[in-house]
Amino acid sequence: MSSIPNSGPSTPGGRASASNFEQVNSWSRDVRFVSGCILMLFATTHFLNHAVGIFGLAAMETAQLWRHGFWSSKLGLLLLYGSLIIHPVFALLRVAQRRTFRMPMREVLQIALGVVIPLLLIDHIVATRVQGALFLQDESYHAVLRRLWPNLALTQSLLLLLVWTHGVIGLHFTFRTRESYARWRDPFLLAAILVPLLALIGFVVAGREARLMALPPELYTTQQADSFNLHVTWAKRAFFGLVGGFVLFVAIRELRARALGAITVRFVGHGVRKVVPGFTLLEMFRRFGIPHAALCGGRARCATCRVLVLDGADDLPPPGPNEARLLRRISAGERVRLACQIRPKHDLQVQILLAARQRGAGPTGALDPAAGIAKKGLTVMVADLRAFTALAERQLPQELMTLLNRFYDEMSQAIAAHGGRIESIYGDGLMAIFGLETTPARAGMAAIAAAGDMMRAVEALNREYATALPLPLRIGIGIHGGPAIMGAVENESIGRREITVGETVMIASQLEAATRRLLSDIIVSGETVAATGRSFPGLISYKIAIKGRDKPMQVFGFGGVPEKAPPAKGEPAAHRGKRPAKAEAEGDPD
């Protein structure tokens, strides 16, 4: 394959400059995130203080003393005011680095909130902190609420909701790429709803109480009014000047980029595009509507936008700290890069490695790989009919399909009766999952109980079809519990299909295959039996080799239909689920 000609020479100085830019970009992202977390922490304590107003104004004032104890200290003031300046400035720098404004709606919302919030916040800060510092105005809740309620109540409530929404969106899209987020996503959602709701209720209750207090009206001098108007005017001018400077910078940058000429970028499967230098590859995908994945929105927190650089890799700057760390984590190849982190200055040829042709892309062409994807602890069952090929050769097609329909009907009823779900059917076998809405212990018990019902159903089918079958039906079942990845694959040929994958599925399949050589109808991993916390009579212990594991796995075979035995009275929890004495006496057949 011939290389795409470069549009200009590659100099060491240019590559070093680009590398430094990436490092600065990585550093600014961390600063923006930390400052945003500080502001979110302040907002949370402030809104919780509002929520205490449900119990009355006195409780609200008491809570304020504790809150002010930190945020009015030197450290608290430094963190708060420093973050108030740093966060919007670095956020604007982040937006200024964009070379296209085609983006997912949640990013549009985040930017819009970042512009609206300062306009509403300026009046609030000047009316409380600035005026309080200059004229020693009372900043206690009863005094501030009397000024706000009821004329400014709607504006302040809107400000509360905008600030909270902006922070929650930022935290959600920052942490959703981490596996641990799945465990506390629901509590986070609950807090995201309850905190602003309780804060608004407390604000209303305390505002009404403050209005009814028998206190003399507050009088403002002309100097105080002029000071308030002056500070608000200058603060808003500074903000609009900052935004105007940003717009001017973007305009000048675009004119300069167009004057420098275009480079050629070839997207394998999506044609060739001429673009001016400065865009990241991710921005190019968005600009040209190329389907792509970008879970973290271009912040180098996920690897879903990775590409394989086919030509022009030597002209790209080396990965920045965040990109390099993430590429090492996924053991990426030498020419694999993150599309959100590289800004080509020379001709390039790349291939998208993930979700390049899935449906469901939004107007920007962006795909959300997180939609419907989860890593969850499940118990997986794989079942397969014995000697199906011999059975199929001796049956008429209509008879065979009638038998299979009846077989799968019985199997699905047995699985559904214990809370399981058939995930896939492949000719003479099936895979089912348990534990979508329960604990690993109950999922293991449900899978074993379902296996018992499936064995009974097969025995019933053998009695029913005794005269029609050339040989009796037999079934092998493998069961294993552990983490599995659930999601969907989709393309134009197969449509959309829900799948479950991972090591747990692979092991369950190998256990089912082991039922043939171990002459046991049901094989369950030792981990799953132990997780149930129960003992089962008649278990036989084995150790079998598992592909991908260095050590043999402890498994248990059921010689017949599983019968659950309740735990012995007074049996310690640590000993539940271990193999019974009979199994110990049998020894290890392997």
Side-chain angles (χ1 to χ4, degrees), residues 374-395:
K375 189 172 185 180
K376 186 175 177 63
L378 299 173
T379 298
V380 178
M381 169 196 288
V382 175
D384 190 75
L385 273 173
R386 296 279 188 268
F388 180 75
T389 302
L391 182 65
E393 290 175 350
R394 302 182 189 184
Q395 294 285 102

Side-chain angles (χ1 to χ4, degrees), residues 71 111 224 258 289 321 387 491 499 589:
W71 293 112
I111 294 173
Q224 288 176 317
R258 293 179 186 279
N491 62 37
I499 63 169

